Amino acid sequence: MLPAVITALAFVIAFIVIGLAVVFAAFSGARRGAARVAGPSRGNRKAVAGVVGLVVLLLGVVVPGLVVANGESADSAPGGVQLTAAEQSGREVFRERCATCHTLSASNAVGKVGPNLDALHPPKALTLDAIKNGRARGQGQMPAALVDGEDADDVAAYIAKVAGR
């Protein structure tokens, strides 16, 4: 959740700075030495600057705020997949114990050691077997029993549901 807030805040600040720079440049006046052409009055320029500033503020704060407010909840995964309580628990265990090695976009994991689970789409049974027995047959270095019991079942259910979505 925190990275999403930081990203939205960075977007808002950048948007406001760019918008204010454009407004400032547009209303800064003519260049020195250039012939002065009759244009809008000072009051009109202030009114336009105020309206543009308000639009920039609304687009820079309200729109990202709505995006963050309507972001994914704790019980959903990318693509609108609804997670059960067990799958949510599996997501947390995956983040703690598996994300450093495996790639799984639903957990923002970009590990390079283990297989890319989004590409592999492993069924629950295969994941449970890999967790129980490990994978060191010359195709990886995953030790056995990194997760056990109900946690292993939750992780396998989570991976089976979200891999490749």
Side-chain angles (χ1 to χ4, degrees), residues 66-120:
L66 291 173
V67 169
V68 170
N70 289 329
E72 294 176 2
S73 64
D75 63 344
S76 68
V81 176
Q82 294 299 312
L83 302 176
T84 65
E87 292 162 347
Q88 290 176 41
S89 173
R91 174 171 51 189
E92 293 306 314
V93 173
F94 180 89
R95 284 180 181 161
E96 292 170 9
R97 306 218 183 131
C98 309
T100 56
C101 294
H102 293 283
T103 297
L104 184 63
S105 62
S107 289
N108 294 326
V110 290
K112 302 291 184 204
V113 177
N116 179 336
L117 299 175
D118 288 319
L120 187 60

Side-chain angles (χ1 to χ4, degrees), residues 37-42 44-45:
V37 178
S41 69
R42 183 179 179 116
N44 285 346
R45 286 192 311 227

